[in-house]
Amino acid sequence: MSENFRSSETKFLDKTNRISFIYNGKKYYGYKGDTLASALLSNGVHLIGRSFKYHRPRGIMTCGSEEPNAIVQIGGNGSFTEPNVRATEQEIYEGLEASSQNCWPSVEFDVGGINNFISPVIPAGFYYKTFMWPRKLWYSLYEPAIRMSAGLGKSPTQPDPELYDHNHLHCDVLVVGGGISGIIAASISADNGNNTVLIDDKNSLGGSTIFQDDENFKIDDEISSVWLNNQIKNIKNKKNLIIKQRTSLAAYHSYNYLLARENLADHKSLNERANKLRQRLWKIRAKKVILATGAIERPLIFNNNDRPGVMLASSVKKYIDYFGVKCGNKNVIFTNNDSAYETAISLNKKGINVTIVDIRGKSSSVLVKNAKDAGIKIYWNHTVVDTKGYRRIKSIQIMEMSEDGTNVIGSKINLVCDNLSISGGWTPMVHLFTQSGGKLKFRDSDQVFLPNTATSDQINVGSCNGDFELDDIIKNTISDCKSFLSSSSTDFDLIKVSCPKQKENKNVWLLPNDKPLGKTKPFLDFQNDSTAKDIKLAMREGFRSIEHVKRYTTTGMGTDQGKLANMHALGIISETAGVKMGSLGTTTFRPPYTPLSFGTIVGRNVGTFFDIIRKTPMHTWHENHKAEFENVGQWKRAWYYPKTNESMNQAVQRESKAARESAGILDASTLGKIDIKGTDASEFLNRVYTNAWSKLGIGKCRYGLMLNEDGMVYDDGVTTRLSENHYLMTTTTGGAANVLSKLEDYLQTEWPELDVWLTSVTDHYATASVCGPNSKNILKKIFPNIEFNDENFPHMSFKNAELDGIYCRIMRISFTGEHSYEINIESKYGKSLWEKCMDAGKEFNITPYGTETMHLLRAEKGFIIVGQDTDGTMTPIDLQMDWIVSKKKYDFIGKRSLYRSDTMREDRKQLVGLLTDNPSEVLEEGAQIVQDEKKQPIEMLGHVTSSYFSPNLNKSIALAVVKNGKKLKGQKLLVPMKDKTIKVTVSDFIFFDNKNERLNA
Amino acid sequence: MKNNYSIFSLIKNSLTYHENWQQAWRDPEPKKEYDAVIIGGGGHGLATAFYLAKKHNMKNIAVVEKGWIGGGNTGRNTTIIRSNYLWDASAGLYDHALKLWENLSQEINYNVMFSQRGVMNLAHNLQDVRDLKRRTHANRLNGIDAVWLSTEEVKNFCPIINTSPDIRYPVLGGTLQRRAGTARHDAVAWGYARGADSMGVDIIQNCEVKAIKRSGDAVEGLETTKGFIKTKKIGVVAAGHSSVIANMAGIRLPLESKPLQALVSEPVKPIINTVVMSNAVHAYVSQSDKGELVIGAGTDAYVSYTQRGSHDVVEGTLKAILELYPIFSRMKMLRQWGGIVDICPDASPIVSKTSIKGLYFNCGWGTGGFKATPGSGDLFAHTIANDEPHVLNAAFNINRFVSGDLVDEHGAAAVAH
Amino acid sequence: MFIITCPFCGERDQSEFAAGGEAHIVRPKQPTELSDDEWADFLFMRKNIKGVQFERWNHAHGCRKWFNVIRDTSNDKIHAVYKMGEKPPIK
């Protein structure tokens, strides 16, 4: 295809760099710097997509992020595919693939177009009123059908091959927007010695002034674009100014915390971007922020204003003046203000046929005079009442407006055209300002919302602050920046600006028509197909707030988030309700300003970096010995060590037997370890554990149970008294961080008088736990200097030791019920310790076991695991651990809560053992327990918390919590499963060696 | 009843360009006195009014709303509906609600788009597996249709989940409740409002409560921005602002109000056909009828009434989403927002009388109140009308914080959304 | 995302801190002498103020010190910070 619509001259594109791209399967050409929209327009392509609800043909309307219609799928079906990309923002690159969305089989002929014909029956909110009968069809037909019609583009179906990054940025002043006001602001800020950052979302700076080549607009006697071009060259050399292009501000949070997306690759070909970053999210903390986000042009709301070829006048100007692309050969400009005359003059200069329709009666602007002088026909006091052309506008009909603007009079005039440029005035982009918490005010003269009071240290300059004329923009930007930045003088203090001034304003939110509203289609939200009729219907039905109307009609809820539609929706609501526009408020502008990729938000925290992995010092040994791992919090713990062809069950049975018959070894390094020092350490333990600690001898160990203040079991572990004022506390693996936080909290806030110091040493020590009848013999080999007899080293005691000159701590404690030792050594020696144990244990068939076997062995002994046998609702009494709750102690955390009416009930759920009638049948953990299956509703007495086949007892055992369980000992209960019911008997929860003889064996 | 909504009424009205539809609800000024006043025009408050009028014949009542109905958490949540709760009390409450949802569109003649597309909860570690199995067993015995799925079955039910064993926290299985799903949040508020209004309930918007007037231990009325309203019964259904009302009445509640955030992506063609929730990596997602991915983020840990949370929370949530759905990396966040949720220490609600006669509170729904809307309204209406809780909400009294008889859904019930 | 001035470390991003709820709820010295109601009040009942609230924060990813913050919960504006045990600088 040739670029018939490219006019020859444009200095903004690199004409030596011709680029081919594919659109809907066809090859087209454009130039480096083109957006997909400008390149398509240069090829005469206007039809881009279909609207959401009625599937009406839609074209390119704008040249920026406010585009509601021209959104496409980029990147075909591959992993680079991206839905809903605005053709007006996507730069073309060699090989770019783009296709239309929401149409089948093609954008030219779309079956969904049938919706346009039934549109009279499906107004806003129709679905709330129907599909209710018959009820069955809702589930089988209506609801699935509604669901199927969802969406515009298509989600990728493969993982993203590209990379994203995050970076933090701190600056004195952040300037958002690289138009003329932003350039001036950044310049003043940098000159004033501030570290300044200027960000702009386009690939070139200068906003719309950079292509404003009109003798009427002069700055210091130069044409505005020339002056600005020099300024841009100037600021690029400023030392304390960073300029970030293709960077769009996404969100403005309180405390001047802002997020900006820098686009690094989307304009590059796939070859150029391989293995490079695609986008970077800047997390910015700015001391001061200057918003210079500009304004966007408003459309006009009239019948059939949505056809391809209907575009914003300022965009048409940008396409011709910046991209050198004409949007039609025969243009009509439809306006309510002077700015569109700039478009008319530009087009006229390029030899394009232009006619103007203006709803005002006159204008005294010099621009209008210039247009008249150029011979452009102007229809004053006229409005468009209809447009024709299905896939592209072909003609329009205009009529004269009545004096008050509410009606049309006279006869219709038909104007043939292939482009209709519309301009309804300007809307300041206050989105970011309101995101930051700023409040708006309404200016009646030109019906705009403006920044009023800010909650952050920031100002707004340029058209986003309501200045639409060049002299106001420049002078106010300079004076506002000076006072905001406390700058006494700037390079711009003597600036001279001349520009045309607009004197005649007229605004009609919904333009009058010769037909009743019901017979017309005046679109507000072009993407979601909501019309002025829908707004009025919503109001008729009692929806009055803007939020209600928006939600009922879906106005402003498309991918453009109502950048074009919202003002007109508000206008029509206020007109219909007869209230002042300013009193209605606006909808909330929510972040992000423009849609932001999930990948960008997440950055590098994907895959391996999703969450840190904590590994013990022995981890590589476990890996080398083919351990399977279990995630426990962030830790990887060895779960079991299968030998070749061994199932998990077989491995666990083998490990469990070996540990009891000879020796087993467990990596217990993940247990939380807190070093406690201070003269009040014992008193501190008295307060945080349920049992008493003052009398614990030096070198002795004690098991402790910690409660929440509400009396429920929180954590447990063994604490060792290392010396008079020095303890080592162990916690559960998962609870370590929380326990430390909790202890610090009490210490600092409730008991600051206690002399106690807490240090987390979990990562400082590796722990190997050696158990079994031969554990003593193994340790004897490793620590020949220690006497491992019961007198010298009894159960629940501790010894300092040395291994090859390295300090160790050995605790004789047991979680398996076997004679057992835990050896702590500095982490970096953990693996050697482990290997020494393995070597020394070889003759005793020392067997490494994982967490699963540990769970089994302790269950045989009836030891609880906090978090498995408890769930935050169990008191120590419920666990039949009355023995550990000191009656003598005046207070400890959670004590008072044990004496409330419910916690004192005798029939609470209590920890019991369960034995299945069939000893080989293993219960499912989590299974519920009942007494009577027949009675409805079934009363659930409790559930199975831990369950295993015990190789040492050769039968199935389980721990459970059962209502009134203490009294049910010996009774038969039922465990109803999905397909069968299992009979069980309540038993003691200690199944093995209940006299603890093996501890000293 | 007002004009009935149906396909026929749509066709009929299309002939007159839809210019003859009646107001869905009136816009009345408050009367001097009502038999009961509900504070809060969200889904729960409007449902309460609806059932007070419908089942208890209390028609001289009003709902006062400081903003616009449905503008609080009703219009801000991610619309997940399920009843697969662990404890009997919770299961009873939420399944009562689910049964009402199943006929709600017909009951109120307003299509709330209840979609029983199923809700799946994923397990990512062995304790998750135990907890979710425990819950599934309890659900089955309570007559709730939850089933356990293996990893393979999870994948079959929702093929886009990354079930690779090589991810940081692999999917070890999950539970599925097929009757669960989503509904259109706004429609619930609007439908109940229309239904209540048609029975004579006054729905008074832009009417903020300024004070609760008491005489001794009983309520006498409330001071509002639209004047004093006399009443002997006040039902407070003010969600995040419950404590504000409680402070007016001089009582304290075990609540903290925290920001909860949610977000949607740009709309895409159907890609996920169910609701998937994951507790361990904290991500839950479904797809709206517009095609947006609807993603719930977590709460911040601090009290705030600003309706905005911190960016970290959103980042953390999307991180989890990409862990489970790497194909969504190039999807774009279209909109994010926050609500204020009032959270009880046991993550269960309060639907209860108070120490003040005639003052009732329905609060503490935390992050998961939407699903309970019809049940909450029905049971709260019962409590207000009879001055006595219904058996299904008896456990959710305020006194449980004194006795210790909490309904702790933290431990085993996964996220409470 | 606000900024909190840790009284020990200075200005830091909110993400470094952990919130600890309402401040100045002193743990009773003699819990056993409280009624169930009084104990429940200490344990669970909170003012949950909309407006200026006194609350506890912990510099969890910093010095790990607990301190008090006076913050307006309706707009997240922080009015003052002060150490544990100190009197609030404003009422």
Side-chain angles (χ1 to χ4, degrees), chain A residues 604-623:
Chain A
R604 293 180 187 268
N605 301 319
V606 288
T608 334
F609 300 123
F610 170 67
D611 197 12
I612 60 159
I613 301 173
R614 296 179 80 180
K615 294 174 181 171
T616 73
M618 295 79 142
H619 188 86
T620 49
W621 191 95
H622 306 320
E623 271 181 337

PDB file of all heavy atoms in Angstrom, chain A residues 604-623:
ATOM      1  N   ARG A 604      11.137  -7.341  38.935  1.00  0.00           N
ATOM      2  CA  ARG A 604      11.934  -8.570  38.882  1.00  0.00           C
ATOM      3  C   ARG A 604      11.464  -9.642  39.857  1.00  0.00           C
ATOM      4  O   ARG A 604      12.063 -10.710  39.929  1.00  0.00           O
ATOM      5  CB  ARG A 604      13.393  -8.239  39.196  1.00  0.00           C
ATOM      6  CG  ARG A 604      14.041  -7.392  38.129  1.00  0.00           C
ATOM      7  CD  ARG A 604      15.478  -7.080  38.479  1.00  0.00           C
ATOM      8  NE  ARG A 604      16.049  -6.133  37.545  1.00  0.00           N
ATOM      9  CZ  ARG A 604      16.709  -6.494  36.442  1.00  0.00           C
ATOM     10  NH1 ARG A 604      16.877  -7.751  36.151  1.00  0.00           N
ATOM     11  NH2 ARG A 604      17.188  -5.572  35.637  1.00  0.00           N
ATOM     12  N   ASN A 605      10.409  -9.332  40.624  1.00  0.00           N
ATOM     13  CA  ASN A 605      10.006 -10.283  41.672  1.00  0.00           C
ATOM     14  C   ASN A 605       9.166 -11.424  41.139  1.00  0.00           C
ATOM     15  O   ASN A 605       8.108 -11.733  41.665  1.00  0.00           O
ATOM     16  CB  ASN A 605       9.225  -9.546  42.764  1.00  0.00           C
ATOM     17  CG  ASN A 605      10.042  -8.444  43.378  1.00  0.00           C
ATOM     18  OD1 ASN A 605      11.236  -8.625  43.622  1.00  0.00           O
ATOM     19  ND2 ASN A 605       9.430  -7.297  43.610  1.00  0.00           N
ATOM     20  N   VAL A 606       9.614 -12.020  40.063  1.00  0.00           N
ATOM     21  CA  VAL A 606       8.877 -13.141  39.485  1.00  0.00           C
ATOM     22  C   VAL A 606       9.775 -14.372  39.477  1.00  0.00           C
ATOM     23  O   VAL A 606      10.993 -14.277  39.611  1.00  0.00           O
ATOM     24  CB  VAL A 606       8.403 -12.835  38.048  1.00  0.00           C
ATOM     25  CG1 VAL A 606       7.286 -11.833  38.054  1.00  0.00           C
ATOM     26  CG2 VAL A 606       9.558 -12.339  37.197  1.00  0.00           C
ATOM     27  N   GLY A 607       9.128 -15.523  39.281  1.00  0.00           N
ATOM     28  CA  GLY A 607       9.875 -16.772  39.186  1.00  0.00           C
ATOM     29  C   GLY A 607      10.691 -17.014  40.452  1.00  0.00           C
ATOM     30  O   GLY A 607      10.170 -16.950  41.557  1.00  0.00           O
ATOM     31  N   THR A 608      11.983 -17.224  40.265  1.00  0.00           N
ATOM     32  CA  THR A 608      12.870 -17.522  41.397  1.00  0.00           C
ATOM     33  C   THR A 608      12.826 -16.418  42.441  1.00  0.00           C
ATOM     34  O   THR A 608      13.063 -16.655  43.613  1.00  0.00           O
ATOM     35  CB  THR A 608      14.329 -17.616  40.911  1.00  0.00           C
ATOM     36  OG1 THR A 608      14.313 -17.996  39.556  1.00  0.00           O
ATOM     37  CG2 THR A 608      15.113 -18.572  41.749  1.00  0.00           C
ATOM     38  N   PHE A 609      12.582 -15.193  41.981  1.00  0.00           N
ATOM     39  CA  PHE A 609      12.612 -14.064  42.914  1.00  0.00           C
ATOM     40  C   PHE A 609      11.260 -13.755  43.534  1.00  0.00           C
ATOM     41  O   PHE A 609      11.085 -12.727  44.156  1.00  0.00           O
ATOM     42  CB  PHE A 609      13.160 -12.820  42.210  1.00  0.00           C
ATOM     43  CG  PHE A 609      14.543 -13.009  41.688  1.00  0.00           C
ATOM     44  CD1 PHE A 609      14.819 -12.818  40.339  1.00  0.00           C
ATOM     45  CD2 PHE A 609      15.570 -13.395  42.520  1.00  0.00           C
ATOM     46  CE1 PHE A 609      16.098 -13.003  39.849  1.00  0.00           C
ATOM     47  CE2 PHE A 609      16.856 -13.590  42.039  1.00  0.00           C
ATOM     48  CZ  PHE A 609      17.116 -13.392  40.701  1.00  0.00           C
ATOM     49  N   PHE A 610      10.290 -14.633  43.310  1.00  0.00           N
ATOM     50  CA  PHE A 610       8.964 -14.393  43.884  1.00  0.00           C
ATOM     51  C   PHE A 610       9.056 -14.245  45.400  1.00  0.00           C
ATOM     52  O   PHE A 610       8.458 -13.351  45.980  1.00  0.00           O
ATOM     53  CB  PHE A 610       8.019 -15.532  43.517  1.00  0.00           C
ATOM     54  CG  PHE A 610       6.724 -15.483  44.262  1.00  0.00           C
ATOM     55  CD1 PHE A 610       5.825 -14.454  44.027  1.00  0.00           C
ATOM     56  CD2 PHE A 610       6.405 -16.430  45.217  1.00  0.00           C
ATOM     57  CE1 PHE A 610       4.636 -14.386  44.722  1.00  0.00           C
ATOM     58  CE2 PHE A 610       5.221 -16.369  45.914  1.00  0.00           C
ATOM     59  CZ  PHE A 610       4.332 -15.342  45.665  1.00  0.00           C
ATOM     60  N   ASP A 611       9.797 -15.146  46.016  1.00  0.00           N
ATOM     61  CA  ASP A 611       9.974 -15.056  47.458  1.00  0.00           C
ATOM     62  C   ASP A 611      11.333 -15.666  47.776  1.00  0.00           C
ATOM     63  O   ASP A 611      11.755 -16.608  47.107  1.00  0.00           O
ATOM     64  CB  ASP A 611       8.875 -15.845  48.180  1.00  0.00           C
ATOM     65  CG  ASP A 611       8.764 -15.446  49.641  1.00  0.00           C
ATOM     66  OD1 ASP A 611       9.359 -14.426  50.022  1.00  0.00           O
ATOM     67  OD2 ASP A 611       8.088 -16.163  50.396  1.00  0.00           O
ATOM     68  N   ILE A 612      11.991 -15.125  48.769  1.00  0.00           N
ATOM     69  CA  ILE A 612      13.309 -15.670  49.075  1.00  0.00           C
ATOM     70  C   ILE A 612      13.177 -17.123  49.516  1.00  0.00           C
ATOM     71  O   ILE A 612      12.145 -17.552  50.007  1.00  0.00           O
ATOM     72  CB  ILE A 612      14.049 -14.873  50.170  1.00  0.00           C
ATOM     73  CG1 ILE A 612      13.239 -14.873  51.466  1.00  0.00           C
ATOM     74  CG2 ILE A 612      14.360 -13.476  49.724  1.00  0.00           C
ATOM     75  CD1 ILE A 612      14.117 -14.561  52.649  1.00  0.00           C
ATOM     76  N   ILE A 613      14.234 -17.873  49.313  1.00  0.00           N
ATOM     77  CA  ILE A 613      14.270 -19.256  49.770  1.00  0.00           C
ATOM     78  C   ILE A 613      15.288 -19.325  50.894  1.00  0.00           C
ATOM     79  O   ILE A 613      16.450 -18.942  50.718  1.00  0.00           O
ATOM     80  CB  ILE A 613      14.702 -20.202  48.633  1.00  0.00           C
ATOM     81  CG1 ILE A 613      13.723 -20.088  47.464  1.00  0.00           C
ATOM     82  CG2 ILE A 613      14.795 -21.639  49.134  1.00  0.00           C
ATOM     83  CD1 ILE A 613      14.157 -20.851  46.231  1.00  0.00           C
ATOM     84  N   ARG A 614      14.871 -19.785  52.049  1.00  0.00           N
ATOM     85  CA  ARG A 614      15.817 -19.957  53.155  1.00  0.00           C
ATOM     86  C   ARG A 614      16.269 -21.411  53.168  1.00  0.00           C
ATOM     87  O   ARG A 614      15.447 -22.331  53.162  1.00  0.00           O
ATOM     88  CB  ARG A 614      15.175 -19.576  54.489  1.00  0.00           C
ATOM     89  CG  ARG A 614      14.795 -18.102  54.550  1.00  0.00           C
ATOM     90  CD  ARG A 614      14.137 -17.741  55.861  1.00  0.00           C
ATOM     91  NE  ARG A 614      15.115 -17.555  56.930  1.00  0.00           N
ATOM     92  CZ  ARG A 614      14.768 -17.233  58.172  1.00  0.00           C
ATOM     93  NH1 ARG A 614      13.497 -17.099  58.500  1.00  0.00           N
ATOM     94  NH2 ARG A 614      15.700 -17.057  59.098  1.00  0.00           N
ATOM     95  N   LYS A 615      17.576 -21.575  53.151  1.00  0.00           N
ATOM     96  CA  LYS A 615      18.138 -22.920  53.141  1.00  0.00           C
ATOM     97  C   LYS A 615      19.036 -23.085  54.350  1.00  0.00           C
ATOM     98  O   LYS A 615      19.725 -22.146  54.744  1.00  0.00           O
ATOM     99  CB  LYS A 615      18.965 -23.133  51.870  1.00  0.00           C
ATOM    100  CG  LYS A 615      18.140 -23.118  50.595  1.00  0.00           C
ATOM    101  CD  LYS A 615      19.048 -23.198  49.381  1.00  0.00           C
ATOM    102  CE  LYS A 615      18.216 -23.169  48.112  1.00  0.00           C
ATOM    103  NZ  LYS A 615      19.070 -23.024  46.928  1.00  0.00           N
ATOM    104  N   THR A 616      19.071 -24.276  54.901  1.00  0.00           N
ATOM    105  CA  THR A 616      19.943 -24.515  56.051  1.00  0.00           C
ATOM    106  C   THR A 616      21.363 -24.744  55.541  1.00  0.00           C
ATOM    107  O   THR A 616      21.570 -25.018  54.359  1.00  0.00           O
ATOM    108  CB  THR A 616      19.489 -25.753  56.849  1.00  0.00           C
ATOM    109  OG1 THR A 616      19.820 -26.912  56.084  1.00  0.00           O
ATOM    110  CG2 THR A 616      18.004 -25.715  57.130  1.00  0.00           C
ATOM    111  N   PRO A 617      22.341 -24.658  56.430  1.00  0.00           N
ATOM    112  CA  PRO A 617      23.730 -24.895  55.998  1.00  0.00           C
ATOM    113  C   PRO A 617      23.931 -26.313  55.450  1.00  0.00           C
ATOM    114  O   PRO A 617      24.876 -26.565  54.716  1.00  0.00           O
ATOM    115  CB  PRO A 617      24.535 -24.695  57.287  1.00  0.00           C
ATOM    116  CG  PRO A 617      23.692 -23.803  58.128  1.00  0.00           C
ATOM    117  CD  PRO A 617      22.275 -24.186  57.826  1.00  0.00           C
ATOM    118  N   MET A 618      23.032 -27.234  55.824  1.00  0.00           N
ATOM    119  CA  MET A 618      23.189 -28.617  55.360  1.00  0.00           C
ATOM    120  C   MET A 618      22.436 -28.870  54.057  1.00  0.00           C
ATOM    121  O   MET A 618      22.391 -30.006  53.567  1.00  0.00           O
ATOM    122  CB  MET A 618      22.645 -29.602  56.415  1.00  0.00           C
ATOM    123  CG  MET A 618      23.390 -29.627  57.731  1.00  0.00           C
ATOM    124  SD  MET A 618      22.925 -28.245  58.809  1.00  0.00           S
ATOM    125  CE  MET A 618      22.915 -29.028  60.403  1.00  0.00           C
ATOM    126  N   HIS A 619      21.855 -27.823  53.498  1.00  0.00           N
ATOM    127  CA  HIS A 619      20.935 -28.011  52.382  1.00  0.00           C
ATOM    128  C   HIS A 619      21.546 -28.807  51.218  1.00  0.00           C
ATOM    129  O   HIS A 619      20.909 -29.696  50.671  1.00  0.00           O
ATOM    130  CB  HIS A 619      20.437 -26.649  51.885  1.00  0.00           C
ATOM    131  CG  HIS A 619      19.340 -26.740  50.862  1.00  0.00           C
ATOM    132  ND1 HIS A 619      18.015 -26.852  51.209  1.00  0.00           N
ATOM    133  CD2 HIS A 619      19.378 -26.778  49.516  1.00  0.00           C
ATOM    134  CE1 HIS A 619      17.287 -26.939  50.120  1.00  0.00           C
ATOM    135  NE2 HIS A 619      18.082 -26.899  49.064  1.00  0.00           N
ATOM    136  N   THR A 620      22.784 -28.467  50.868  1.00  0.00           N
ATOM    137  CA  THR A 620      23.354 -29.155  49.699  1.00  0.00           C
ATOM    138  C   THR A 620      23.546 -30.643  49.977  1.00  0.00           C
ATOM    139  O   THR A 620      23.424 -31.469  49.083  1.00  0.00           O
ATOM    140  CB  THR A 620      24.720 -28.552  49.307  1.00  0.00           C
ATOM    141  OG1 THR A 620      25.533 -28.448  50.477  1.00  0.00           O
ATOM    142  CG2 THR A 620      24.552 -27.183  48.675  1.00  0.00           C
ATOM    143  N   TRP A 621      23.816 -30.975  51.258  1.00  0.00           N
ATOM    144  CA  TRP A 621      23.936 -32.396  51.593  1.00  0.00           C
ATOM    145  C   TRP A 621      22.599 -33.100  51.313  1.00  0.00           C
ATOM    146  O   TRP A 621      22.566 -34.156  50.686  1.00  0.00           O
ATOM    147  CB  TRP A 621      24.327 -32.562  53.070  1.00  0.00           C
ATOM    148  CG  TRP A 621      24.723 -33.994  53.388  1.00  0.00           C
ATOM    149  CD1 TRP A 621      25.967 -34.511  53.403  1.00  0.00           C
ATOM    150  CD2 TRP A 621      23.829 -35.072  53.705  1.00  0.00           C
ATOM    151  NE1 TRP A 621      25.930 -35.850  53.710  1.00  0.00           N
ATOM    152  CE2 TRP A 621      24.621 -36.227  53.899  1.00  0.00           C
ATOM    153  CE3 TRP A 621      22.429 -35.188  53.833  1.00  0.00           C
ATOM    154  CZ2 TRP A 621      24.079 -37.467  54.219  1.00  0.00           C
ATOM    155  CZ3 TRP A 621      21.897 -36.431  54.156  1.00  0.00           C
ATOM    156  CH2 TRP A 621      22.709 -37.561  54.346  1.00  0.00           C
ATOM    157  N   HIS A 622      21.515 -32.467  51.763  1.00  0.00           N
ATOM    158  CA  HIS A 622      20.190 -33.066  51.544  1.00  0.00           C
ATOM    159  C   HIS A 622      19.912 -33.223  50.056  1.00  0.00           C
ATOM    160  O   HIS A 622      19.414 -34.244  49.610  1.00  0.00           O
ATOM    161  CB  HIS A 622      19.091 -32.201  52.173  1.00  0.00           C
ATOM    162  CG  HIS A 622      19.304 -31.893  53.619  1.00  0.00           C
ATOM    163  ND1 HIS A 622      19.791 -32.805  54.516  1.00  0.00           N
ATOM    164  CD2 HIS A 622      19.108 -30.738  54.325  1.00  0.00           C
ATOM    165  CE1 HIS A 622      19.888 -32.249  55.721  1.00  0.00           C
ATOM    166  NE2 HIS A 622      19.479 -30.988  55.628  1.00  0.00           N
ATOM    167  N   GLU A 623      20.285 -32.187  49.320  1.00  0.00           N
ATOM    168  CA  GLU A 623      20.068 -32.257  47.870  1.00  0.00           C
ATOM    169  C   GLU A 623      20.854 -33.408  47.256  1.00  0.00           C
ATOM    170  O   GLU A 623      20.337 -34.170  46.444  1.00  0.00           O
ATOM    171  CB  GLU A 623      20.516 -30.939  47.222  1.00  0.00           C
ATOM    172  CG  GLU A 623      19.434 -29.892  47.150  1.00  0.00           C
ATOM    173  CD  GLU A 623      19.911 -28.603  46.479  1.00  0.00           C
ATOM    174  OE1 GLU A 623      21.155 -28.366  46.469  1.00  0.00           O
ATOM    175  OE2 GLU A 623      19.087 -27.852  45.989  1.00  0.00           O
TER     176      GLU A 623
END
